[in-house]
Amino acid sequence: MHGILFIQDLAVILVVAGAVGWLCQRIGLSIVVGFLAAGILVGPGMPYFALVSDVGRIETLAQVGLVFLMFSIGLRLSLRKLRRLGLPILAAALGGSVAMYYLSRLLAAALGWNSTEGLFLAGMLMISSSSIIGKILHETGLNHERAGQLALGVSILEDVVAVVMLALLESVVVLGGAGARHASEAGTTLLHLGAFVAMVGIAGLIIVPWLLKRMSVSMDEELQTLGLAALLFGLAILAQKAGYSLALGAFLLGIIVAETPHRHQVERAFEGMRDVFSAVFFVAIGMQIDGHELIMAGGLIAGVAAFTLVARPLAVTAGLCLIGVPARDGLRAGIMTAPIGEFSFVIAQLGVGAAVVPSRFYPLVVGVSLLTTLVTPFVARRSERIASVILDRQPGWLRDWLRYYQDWLERFTRQRSRSPLWQLSRKRFAQIGIEMLFVSGLLVFSRELYAAVEGWLGRDWLFPSGAQVAFWLLLTIAILLPLFAIWRNCSALALLFAQVSTSGHPRAKQFAPVVETGLKIVAGSALTVWLIAVVPAEDTARWLLLVSACVAVAAVVLLRRRLIYWHCVLEVEIKNMIQTSDSKMTSTTAPWLGRHPDWDLHMVDCTLPDLADCQGRTIAELDLRARFGCSVVGIERQGFMIPLPPRESVLYPRDKVLLMGTMGQVRAGQAFLGGVSGNLGTDSLFEEVRMESLTVPGWSNACGRALGEISPARSHGVQIAGIHRAEVRILNPGAQETLRPGDELLTLGAPAQIREFRAWLTERPAQDD
């Protein structure tokens, strides 16, 4: 009976969410708004419409939805995309988030809230919703303008900030407040988070691509989906066991899978589950809101929403101006990043569930998300006019200071790009940082890893304390290669800086080795202090690590050349994986898709529905330029970009087509390409195709005629795969092959097509009177 009630509750949620979501979509709102509204309608806060009997089970499903939602967000944020966006945009996103953090803390202080409430309010407001913003930009046609591209880039990178903020707030929950103790633990929390991310990321980049490749070779698609789902939930549980949210593990796996060639296959496989469970997640958020409480908090919600609509654009604009983006583009991008969403819900859920913030935070975050999502499309379409009004009224000193700062930043960037020392050293510093975080992750979380191994093997595996000895020995071997890589990079940097610092000195040859040795001593001392700090404090573990370290030193001496080879191979593999081109239709991969305001040209992309009337037709046949005045300038198919496709290119279902023209022209072309009448002819006969042998009679119309002249494929839909003539077998005959009486034809086609061709082949010619 309980199972029936659970299915009934799930059916109610999906039906109401689908109906309300469809209604919101029809009136131009985000479907997330519909899901939240559906949750409020069917939740216990609306007693007259409460249709769900067991809210607890739905919340359990919502956790599954959270995992799929975070996984899909991670799939959109690959390391390649981070590399293309570059450090400047990351710095802008970080700067805007920090500015929004302090503005939100000031608002909380003005409202008389305590420090913990202010911290959670800042966490909710400093992170935008990349999924909502992406939908708004697509619907408004701004996703291929510079301002829209900047807004989307900032919102995507704010997902990284959200992960960091979520880890900090989870430490606040554990500590029970945001006082001095939390402040002292913040640095440790960030270091532990970085170590965990580096450990999982590097291990994932090594293991997951190999695992996916093996599964694609030896498993059917359904088994591949099951295997990846097991990996997804396993990593989510691993993150939770490490003291973080389920969302972190799913987010990290999404980023890792995004680096593999299997990304688009995985997206297709999980698309249905993601849509269903993500909807359940948002509905569950809405179910936890009391409709009366939402109405009672209407004034507070409106005030905080107004603050967000003003403060977020200002903060993001400041961050973009910090990296040299023109003020006009920065303002327009800031206006588009106002909506908050999924990460804000997770943060509010964390605080309310742990009882460190009052329950009013639920209706507050949902109400602010609804209002910002409603207002942003309206102001985004008028962002050019709004930016012009603001810039025309800015003080002269501010305009002059921004111009001076941007000129200085441009000169500094040119000088840095010309500096050989910077170009040679920056990658090595990055490698040292990542490798140190990886080793720190293995050592910091070694207790949890050992507990899992001991629970699996038992304490006295093979011999007394055998599991412990084996674990620490294997751990030492695992960190040996990255430690060796760290020292190689430090040695290379010492050599580089020694050569540069002594260059031009009369006794450079004598001083350079001394400087190099001194730098190596400093680096070795720093590495020793770092290792002492991160090595586990247990006496047994320290002794086992010491013994294992002695073994490792001996291994380094004996296997030095082999370690160098392994390090080089690993470095090249990871570098190639990250630098592999990603030919999706995005601003970062297609810089030629810029906006041309002087020509009043716009670019809008649309995805062809599965039942689109235009599928299977060429661009020349559609003739969009003559019909509507717009042109097809790009096609993205299965993740691959076709720039400036030729007119004979055929369009297929799920193609993403990029149109260029005036706004009216591209909107008309978009509506035409998305047209669905349902009259697509017969279904595919692929599964019914078979082979059948037919004999050419002496009176046949085919006798003495070439296959090219008969053209059975065009006239009857049948292919001739072979001809058996006397003792000769002709496979895949050419168009010039002439048919003779008695030839046995091996035909390929559907049963109806073969019957039609047989009737024609055996038809007797008409007799003359």
Side-chain angles (χ1 to χ4, degrees):
M1 187 62 183
H2 292 288
I4 298 298
L5 292 177
F6 170 73
I7 294 175
Q8 175 182 306
D9 290 343
L10 183 59
V12 167
I13 284 179
L14 295 179
V15 168
V16 177
V20 181
W22 175 81
L23 180 61
C24 289
Q25 187 181 49
R26 294 292 295 175
I27 60 179
L29 300 179
S30 171
I31 58 173
V32 175
V33 175
F35 295 155
L36 294 172
I40 297 173
L41 285 175
V42 301
M46 301 289 286
Y48 298 106
F49 298 97
L51 302 176
V52 176
S53 59
D54 193 339
V55 178
R57 293 184 180 180
I58 299 303
E59 291 177 357
T60 301
L61 278 182
Q63 294 299 314
V64 179
L66 175 63
V67 170
F68 281 111
L69 181 62
M70 294 300 109
F71 178 62
S72 64
I73 292 175
L75 281 175
R76 297 199 300 266
L77 182 63
S78 64
L79 295 178
R80 290 194 296 267
K81 182 171 288 186
L82 286 175
R83 185 174 178 271
R84 291 195 307 269
L85 291 174
L87 287 177
I89 290 291
L90 180 59
L94 181 60
S97 298
V98 170
M100 190 62 193
Y101 171 84
Y102 284 105
L103 290 174
S104 301
R105 295 298 296 268
L106 289 175
L107 175 64
L111 293 173
W113 294 357
N114 60 42
S115 58
T116 303
E117 293 173 349
L119 185 62
F120 273 85
L121 177 67
M124 293 187 302
L125 300 185
M126 65 186 288
I127 302 161
S128 61
S129 171
S130 57
S131 59
I132 294 177
I133 291 173
K135 183 174 179 58
I136 289 174
L137 293 175
H138 181 269
E139 292 173 347
T140 56
L142 300 172
N143 54 331
H144 291 290
E145 294 190 11
R146 175 170 170 75
Q149 294 164 357
L150 288 171
L152 190 58
V154 168
S155 67
I156 289 174
L157 291 175
E158 281 183 344
D159 291 336
V160 179
V161 178
V163 170
V164 176
M165 194 65 187
L166 192 57
L168 287 174
L169 292 175
E170 285 172 340
S171 69
V172 172
V173 169
V174 173
L175 296 172
R181 187 181 176 192
H182 165 68
S184 64
E185 294 286 338
T188 304
T189 300
L190 289 177
L191 287 176
H192 284 191
L193 174 65
F196 178 80
V197 170
M199 178 182 68
V200 173
I202 294 177
L205 286 173
I206 296 172
I207 297 173
V208 172
W210 174 84
L211 187 61
L212 291 177
K213 182 179 180 181
R214 297 300 303 171
M215 288 195 301
S216 65
V217 172
S218 59
M219 293 183 179
D220 293 335
E221 286 192 8
E222 55 234 303
L223 295 179
Q224 296 177 42
T225 303
L226 290 177
L228 189 58
L231 187 62
L232 172 59
F233 287 105
L235 191 53
I237 293 297
L238 177 64
Q240 196 273 336
K241 293 291 186 182
Y244 302 106
S245 170
L246 294 170
L248 176 60
F251 182 76
L252 289 177
L253 183 62
I255 295 177
I256 293 169
V257 173
E259 299 302 319
T260 69
H262 306 272
R263 171 185 176 180
H264 303 289
Q265 175 188 351
V266 171
E267 284 182 319
R268 292 194 303 270
F270 283 91
E271 187 175 10
M273 289 187 289
R274 179 203 63 199
D275 293 341
V276 171
F277 288 110
S278 297
V280 173
F281 168 74
F282 287 114
V283 171
I285 293 293
M287 289 173 62
Q288 300 176 52
I289 298 171
D290 189 333
H292 300 292
E293 189 175 336
L294 186 66
I295 296 173
M296 293 297 295
L300 177 63
I301 292 173
V304 175
F307 168 81
T308 305
L309 289 168
V310 174
R312 276 203 57 80
L314 291 178
V316 173
T317 301
L320 290 173
C321 289
L322 186 67
I323 64 171
V325 174
R328 182 178 299 276
D329 291 333
L331 271 172
R332 296 189 64 204
I335 290 172
M336 301 172 193
T337 58
I340 63 174
E342 51 276 357
F343 272 110
S344 301
F345 301 148
V346 175
I347 290 173
Q349 189 178 45
L350 174 66
V352 174
V356 296
V357 295
S359 60
R360 67 172 179 267
F361 271 61
Y362 261 136
L364 174 62
V365 69
V366 172
V368 172
S369 177
L370 291 173
L371 290 179
T372 52
T373 303
L374 288 172
V375 173
T376 299
F378 177 80
V379 296
R381 293 187 180 94
R382 295 159 179 80
S383 58
E384 182 77 33
R385 191 183 314 165
I386 295 172
S388 298
V389 171
I390 295 175
L391 292 177
D392 290 343
R393 287 166 173 75
Q394 68 174 325
W397 62 267
L398 179 60
R399 183 186 301 108
D400 296 338
W401 185 87
L402 285 174
R403 186 181 298 113
Y404 171 78
Y405 173 77
Q406 290 174 353
D407 292 342
W408 171 83
L409 188 63
E410 185 177 353
R411 292 194 304 270
F412 174 77
T413 303
R414 285 200 302 265
Q415 291 174 359
R416 188 186 65 178
S417 62
R418 295 172 184 171
S419 171
L421 180 61
W422 167 254
Q423 296 297 328
L424 292 173
S425 62
R426 63 189 181 97
K427 291 184 179 180
R428 295 204 177 265
F429 278 120
Q431 291 174 5
I432 290 173
I434 294 174
E435 289 159 350
M436 289 180 68
L437 286 173
F438 175 71
V439 174
S440 299
L442 289 176
L443 293 174
V444 168
F445 296 98
S446 59
R447 300 178 187 87
E448 290 80 0
L449 294 173
Y450 172 68
V453 171
E454 186 180 20
W456 179 34
L457 299 177
R459 180 178 178 82
D460 298 324
W461 178 65
L462 295 182
F463 53 86
S465 300
Q468 192 174 18
V469 173
F471 172 78
W472 292 110
L473 182 61
L474 290 175
L475 181 67
T476 303
I477 295 174
I479 65 177
L480 179 62
L481 182 59
L483 283 177
F484 187 74
I486 291 171
W487 180 247
R488 286 195 68 212
N489 282 320
C490 289
S491 301
L493 287 174
L495 175 63
L496 177 63
F497 279 92
Q499 295 294 330
V500 172
S501 61
T502 59
S503 177
H505 195 278
R507 303 181 63 183
K509 291 185 178 181
Q510 291 78 19
F511 285 159
V514 176
V515 174
E516 181 184 354
T517 303
L519 291 175
K520 286 184 177 179
I521 292 173
V522 172
S525 302
L527 292 177
T528 302
V529 172
W530 160 64
L531 284 174
I532 292 174
V534 297
V535 165
E538 292 84 357
D539 293 336
T540 305
R542 283 184 180 275
W543 280 110
L544 286 172
L545 277 176
L546 179 60
V547 174
S548 301
C550 295
V551 177
V553 170
V556 169
V557 174
L558 297 175
L559 302 174
R560 183 175 181 275
R561 293 182 180 276
R562 180 59 58 180
L563 287 173
I564 293 175
Y565 171 76
W566 287 341
H567 170 240
C568 293
V569 170
L570 180 63
E571 185 177 352
V572 169
E573 288 294 330
I574 293 179
K575 182 178 179 181
N576 290 339
M577 188 178 301
I578 295 176
Q579 290 183 344
T580 301
S581 61
D582 188 3
S583 52
K584 285 183 71 65
M585 191 186 299
T586 62
S587 60
T588 53
T589 57
W592 54 274
L593 300 179
R595 188 187 174 214
H596 303 276
D598 296 337
W599 296 86
D600 190 28
L601 291 178
H602 299 266
M603 284 177 289
V604 173
D605 59 77
C606 62
T607 302
L608 268 61
D610 290 323
L611 302 178
D613 295 334
C614 62
Q615 63 175 285
R617 301 172 63 185
T618 64
I619 296 177
E621 291 175 326
L622 297 175
D623 203 9
L624 297 178
R625 182 175 298 178
R627 292 186 179 187
F628 309 108
C630 58
S631 303
V632 177
V633 295
I635 300 174
E636 182 187 321
R637 180 174 298 152
Q638 299 294 325
F640 292 93
M641 177 67 180
I642 307 174
L644 301 176
R647 288 177 56 81
E648 61 270 14
S649 298
V650 180
L651 299 183
Y652 297 99
R654 311 309 299 171
D655 279 354
K656 184 180 287 186
V657 181
L658 185 66
L659 302 175
M660 184 177 69
T662 65
M663 185 55 70
Q665 292 170 344
V666 294
R667 289 300 185 192
Q670 185 182 34
F672 174 76
L673 293 179
V676 175
S677 65
N679 300 321
L680 297 179
T682 59
D683 294 333
S684 172
L685 301 176
F686 182 82
E687 294 182 355
E688 300 179 18
V689 171
R690 68 185 187 193
M691 291 188 297
E692 186 173 334
S693 297
L694 302 177
T695 302
V696 180
W699 63 82
S700 175
N701 294 320
C703 291
R705 300 172 65 182
L707 287 177
E709 180 185 357
I710 299 172
S711 188
R714 185 173 61 249
S715 58
H716 300 94
V718 171
Q719 300 181 45
I720 306 300
I723 300 176
H724 184 197
R725 178 179 299 153
E727 300 299 327
V728 179
R729 296 182 184 272
I730 305 172
L731 296 178
N732 297 319
Q736 71 280 0
E737 191 68 39
T738 303
L739 297 183
R740 302 175 186 176
D743 284 352
E744 184 179 349
L745 307 181
L746 181 62
T747 58
L748 298 179
Q753 296 169 334
I754 293 177
R755 284 197 300 270
E756 182 182 347
F757 180 67
R758 182 196 297 114
W760 176 84
L761 188 68
T762 59
E763 181 183 7
R764 291 181 178 273
Q767 299 295 328
D768 296 332
D769 294 334

